Amino acid sequence: MKTLDDSSEEPFRLRGHRVMPLTEQKIYSYAQGLADKLEWKRNSFNASNIEHTLQTLEVWKINIDVIDDHEWISLTRAIAEPDQLLIRVPNQFYKSLTDGLTENVWIMLHELGHIFLGHRAGMHFADKHPQKQEDSEWQADVFADAIAEYLKLPGNKKQLELKFEENKGQSRT
Ligand SMILES: [Zn+2]
């Protein structure tokens, strides 16, 4: 008799590009190895050190491009361009980041995830439905959470989303 597979979920919808699949476990161990190699510590991402931490990435040819707020036309708060090892952010975002704003630190880690995981458009094709492990956005989220957890930084994605919701409810301007 044919039985339904209880483990089957609804088809996954990609949020980002379809990339080579990576398990959560693989991303976690990669992120931890990277943090060790770069000698990232908890205080590497606080207000006094984050700017220096990001500058040291220039050794890896990774650059942060800060754009004037009035020239920022994207709806997203930051953009990673893995091909160019570049992360673009508006000035206002960068200022809050270097003030140590938890949300922006997490977003920066997410963008670094795109760079370090080598995400590129159209990297991977398959006939089957995509799985979350192939979604560049899911992978970058896991990377950011992995670093935040390993370094014991405040906040993970789930907590920050709740906070975004609260903020939405509060802002009536
Ligand atoms: Zn992303």
Side-chain angles (χ1 to χ4, degrees):
M1 201 198 293
K2 206 176 174 189
T3 53
L4 282 171
D5 180 3
D6 289 331
S7 67
S8 67
E9 293 163 22
E10 277 184 46
F12 179 77
R13 287 179 76 98
L14 288 170
R15 288 185 288 133
H17 302 303
R18 191 170 192 177
V19 295
M20 290 299 287
L22 284 174
T23 62
E24 198 163 330
Q25 204 179 9
K26 274 209 177 122
I27 297 170
Y28 263 72
S29 75
Y30 173 71
Q32 290 173 5
L34 188 73
D36 288 343
K37 197 170 187 171
L38 295 172
E39 297 180 340
W40 283 351
K41 306 273 181 276
R42 186 178 192 187
N43 64 13
S44 306
F45 290 88
N46 66 18
S48 6
N49 297 322
I50 189 165
E51 203 157 14
H52 173 74
T53 301
L54 294 174
Q55 278 164 2
T56 59
L57 293 173
E58 285 172 17
V59 178
W60 295 50
K61 308 259 185 276
I62 296 169
N63 284 290
I64 315 295
D65 194 5
V66 183
I67 314 280
D68 279 348
D69 289 324
H70 66 271
E71 285 174 20
W72 187 259
I73 49 164
S74 173
L75 291 173
T76 57
R77 281 183 275 190
I79 299 171
E81 294 182 27
D83 288 344
Q84 299 179 52
L85 303 179
L86 189 66
I87 295 170
R88 295 183 199 279
V89 294
N91 192 48
Q92 204 178 21
F93 176 97
Y94 189 75
K95 206 193 160 298
S96 306
L97 175 74
T98 51
D99 286 342
L101 184 70
T102 306
E103 288 165 14
N104 289 14
V105 171
W106 192 92
I107 290 167
M108 181 53 75
L109 290 174
H110 169 104
E111 303 305 338
L112 286 170
H114 284 307
I115 305 257
F116 281 112
L117 297 171
H119 289 157
R120 279 170 181 78
M123 246 179 85
H124 179 59
F125 297 97
D127 294 334
K128 287 187 285 181
H129 285 300
Q131 306 293 311
K132 69 178 179 187
Q133 289 84 356
E134 297 169 288
D135 184 351
S136 61
E137 290 307 315
W138 178 85
Q139 290 187 5
D141 284 350
V142 173
F143 178 91
D145 274 348
I147 297 283
E149 203 177 302
Y150 188 55
L151 302 181
K152 299 186 170 60
L153 302 178
N156 59 35
K157 192 190 183 209
K158 221 170 165 186
Q159 292 160 350
L160 293 171
E161 270 183 346
L162 286 173
K163 213 170 148 222
F164 293 150
E165 287 305 311
E166 282 166 21
N167 285 345
K168 257 185 242 161
Q170 278 163 9
S171 61
R172 310 257 162 162
T173 49

